[in-house]
């Protein structure tokens, strides 16, 4: 089954696109989302230098009907929101393509991982265009090989982490330093490494079952 990685450019009229551009250091990690007929509910982890300002901005958006802060620590908050304009979810719903969670959105762009038959991917592209959401296809593979453990982006980050000494004892490079080194948000760096480490460990255990 084809697997694609897409980068979406979120229109300003979608509140999360406008907020993320206003606070370009903010990172929105969408953990789950549920579309409805006239609204959508999402669960997100928001990280920003001026987090209170970001939360106030979201709360004041007309299309955000509710915002509930579930937890708050330093510059990060876990929030649940309801919006009357879940435009990001409509193309997924209309094309019948399952969206892999979590995904990260920052500075008006979101990165999606999609696995679906070719005709579904084509329909998703048409749906995105219909809703005015421009996108680029960063990578597409026609077949997922069983021996392939990591995506290219995960492998590149792990290799960079090893080279920087992130996995050395004692550690030569912090997570913040590694994120700065590769030019991505700290939360994105952490999420990508966590996914990579999960796949590596699962593959190792699968190859070396307990006796």
């Amino acid at each position: 089954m084809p697997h694609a990685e897409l980068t979406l450019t979120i229109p300003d009229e979608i509140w999360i696109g406008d907020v993320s551009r206003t606070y370009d250091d903010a990172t929105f990690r969408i953990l789950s989302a549920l579309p409805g007929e006239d609204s959508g509910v999402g669960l997100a982890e928001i990280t920003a230098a001026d987090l209170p300002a970001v939360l106030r901005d979201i709360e004041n958006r007309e299309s955000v009907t509710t915002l509930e802060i579930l937890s708050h620590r330093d510059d990060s908050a876990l929030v649940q929101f309801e919006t009357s304009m879940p435009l990001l979810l409509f193309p997924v719903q209309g094309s019948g393509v399952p969206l892999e969670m979590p995904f990260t959105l920052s500075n008006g762009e979101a990165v999606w991982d999609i696995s679906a038959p070719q005709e579904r991917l084509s329909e998703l592209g048409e749906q995105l265009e219909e809703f005015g959401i421009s996108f680029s296809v960063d990578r597409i593979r026609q077949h997922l090989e069983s021996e392939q453990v990591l995506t290219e982006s995960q492998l590149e980050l792990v290799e960079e982490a090893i080279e920087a000494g992130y996995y050395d004892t004692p550690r030569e490079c912090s997570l913040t330093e590694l994120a700065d080194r590769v030019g991505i948000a700290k939360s994105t760096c952490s999420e990508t490494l966590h996914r990579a480490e999960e796949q590596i460990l699962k593959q190792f255990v699968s190859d070396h079952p307990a006796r």
Side-chain angles (χ1 to χ4, degrees):
M1 181 181 294
H3 174 84
E5 288 188 5
L6 311 179
T7 297
L8 283 64
T9 301
I10 313 303
D12 285 338
E13 54 266 28
I14 300 180
W15 67 269
I16 198 169
D18 192 28
V19 172
S20 67
R21 287 188 181 91
T22 302
Y23 303 91
D24 57 8
D25 70 322
T27 299
F28 297 77
R29 185 165 168 259
I30 309 301
L31 305 176
S32 63
L34 180 64
E37 291 185 7
D38 301 312
S39 64
V41 177
L43 181 69
E45 181 184 56
I46 304 174
T47 304
D50 191 356
L51 182 63
V54 174
L55 295 176
R56 284 195 301 270
D57 194 338
I58 296 172
E59 211 165 20
N60 290 332
R61 298 281 167 163
E62 185 177 348
S63 58
V64 178
T65 52
T66 61
L67 177 68
E68 183 177 358
I69 301 174
L70 304 180
S71 65
H72 181 199
R73 182 178 180 183
D74 299 329
D75 60 353
S76 180
L78 180 65
V79 304
Q80 180 171 300
F81 60 86
E82 183 172 358
T83 174
S84 59
M85 294 181 62
L87 294 187
L88 278 183
L89 299 180
F90 290 155
V92 174
Q93 191 177 29
S95 62
V97 172
L99 178 60
E100 295 185 22
M101 300 281 183
F103 70 86
T104 301
L105 188 153
S106 61
N107 199 19
E109 291 188 341
V111 178
W112 281 3
D113 287 321
I114 300 291
S115 294
Q118 185 61 51
E119 60 271 18
R120 294 279 188 180
L121 291 177
S122 298
E123 176 63 23
L124 175 62
E126 292 176 6
Q127 289 280 328
L128 288 169
E129 291 176 357
E130 182 177 334
F131 284 100
I133 302 173
S134 60
F135 66 95
S136 63
V137 179
D138 300 325
R139 180 179 51 170
I140 188 165
R141 297 193 305 273
Q142 291 300 323
H143 300 284
L144 289 174
E145 300 178 4
S146 59
E147 66 268 23
Q148 183 173 354
V149 177
L150 304 181
T151 66
E152 289 180 14
S153 58
Q154 289 172 340
L155 179 59
E156 289 172 1
L157 182 57
V158 169
E159 289 176 339
E160 193 71 36
I162 292 172
E163 183 179 337
Y166 179 77
Y167 291 111
D168 289 356
T169 304
R171 181 167 285 176
E172 299 290 335
C173 173
S174 69
L175 181 63
T176 300
E177 291 169 337
L178 178 60
D180 290 342
R181 178 176 173 137
V182 298
I184 60 177
K186 180 180 177 181
S187 59
T188 303
C189 185
S190 175
E191 173 67 24
T192 304
L193 280 180
H194 178 74
R195 284 190 174 191
E197 291 160 359
E198 177 186 7
Q199 294 303 317
I200 291 170
L201 287 172
K202 286 180 177 179
Q203 185 66 39
F204 178 84
V205 172
S206 175
D207 291 342
H208 301 82
R211 293 183 174 86

